Amino acid sequence: MLVTHPQSTAVMHPRLFGGVGYYAVMASCGHAVVDTFARYDKRAKDTHRYTIADTRGVLRLTVPVGKPDIPGATWRDIPISDHGHWWNIHRTTLESAYGRTPFFEFYIDRFLPLFQPQGSLGMPATVGELIEASDAILRAIAGIETDVSYGPVQGAAYEVLPSGDQCPEYYQVRSSRLGFIPDLSMLDLIFNMGPETPLVLRRWIQHMK
């Protein structure tokens, strides 16, 4: 059981494949609201960008977005662009980065439906929908039992996430050469630690107390 504050509600920025600290905060609360209905801001690249580690260290992958076609558009309105066939780049990059991790082959098929051209069966059409779909998969694998809903959020402050220096270390396949790299996407934790992911999240939560 990860929930340590069953009566608390966490209000979260929308994040594509959010970091370990992000999900530790979510997992510690009885309820979380992810504000995918927040107003679109083209400067907020972290909404549709996630951070992994490859052979050289930190790498950020971005899903390209189209222009809003309505005034006051939210992230649920912003279309995902086909620019650069990004889905091929992300799939190939994830395989290169994590293909040798212990649990990549056990979990990657659950994420592949999210890396397809727009219009493919089951592929989310907007950034908000993609975040919600990826969030559901991550929470299922990580055993997060928090009751999660999706915005809009009115008059509430977003959660302050723990920083990297508060991160309990976990096994990373290249740590002997690169050292431990904090603040990575939950994908990094899942591919490296697999069914022990909830244990790492529990350690995170204990550090946050």
Side-chain angles (χ1 to χ4, degrees):
M1 186 72 172
L2 299 176
V3 175
T4 56
H5 304 289
Q7 304 305 316
S8 297
T9 297
V11 180
M12 316 291 292
H13 280 284
R15 290 286 183 269
L16 178 61
F17 295 120
V20 181
Y22 179 94
Y23 279 96
V25 169
M26 179 186 287
S28 71
C29 297
H31 181 66
V33 182
V34 181
D35 193 7
T36 52
F37 288 77
R39 189 163 181 169
Y40 168 67
D41 183 347
K42 67 179 180 181
R43 299 167 297 180
K45 301 297 185 185
D46 285 347
T47 303
H48 53 106
R49 173 184 293 161
Y50 57 102
T51 305
I52 64 169
D54 68 357
T55 56
R56 294 165 292 183
V58 172
L59 178 65
R60 293 176 176 84
L61 295 173
T62 303
V63 173
V65 301
K67 293 182 179 180
D69 56 7
I70 58 173
T74 73
W75 288 106
R76 288 277 303 184
D77 302 315
I78 301 301
I80 298 169
S81 171
D82 279 345
H83 179 73
H85 291 185
W86 65 269
W87 55 90
N88 285 331
I89 295 171
H90 286 228
R91 283 198 308 249
T92 301
T93 303
L94 287 172
E95 183 173 2
S96 175
Y98 294 110
R100 293 175 181 252
T101 56
F103 298 100
F104 179 81
E105 64 179 305
F106 296 102
Y107 294 108
I108 187 58
D109 285 351
R110 297 180 68 169
F111 297 104
L112 289 182
L114 305 182
F115 299 107
Q116 299 186 73
Q118 294 316 108
S120 299
L121 182 64
M123 178 63 194
T126 71
V127 175
E129 291 171 356
L130 180 61
I131 289 172
E132 292 178 20
S134 64
D135 175 59
I137 298 170
L138 291 174
R139 286 189 286 111
I141 294 172
I144 295 174
E145 299 176 353
T146 302
D147 178 29
V148 177
S149 59
Y150 300 95
V153 175
Q154 300 292 337
Y158 292 120
E159 295 295 325
V160 177
L161 301 182
S163 60
D165 58 6
Q166 297 173 286
C167 177
E169 296 187 8
Y170 57 87
Y171 171 78
Q172 292 176 334
V173 70
R174 299 185 185 89
S175 59
S176 61
R177 182 166 59 85
L178 299 175
F180 177 75
I181 303 175
D183 295 329
L184 296 179
S185 166
M186 274 285 287
L187 291 171
D188 183 84
L189 175 56
I190 287 168
F191 292 147
N192 279 295
M193 297 296 291
E196 294 188 43
T197 293
L199 300 179
V200 177
L201 286 178
R202 187 172 294 114
R203 284 163 44 205
W204 255 101
I205 294 168
Q206 291 170 348
H207 273 69
M208 287 159 39
K209 291 181 180 179

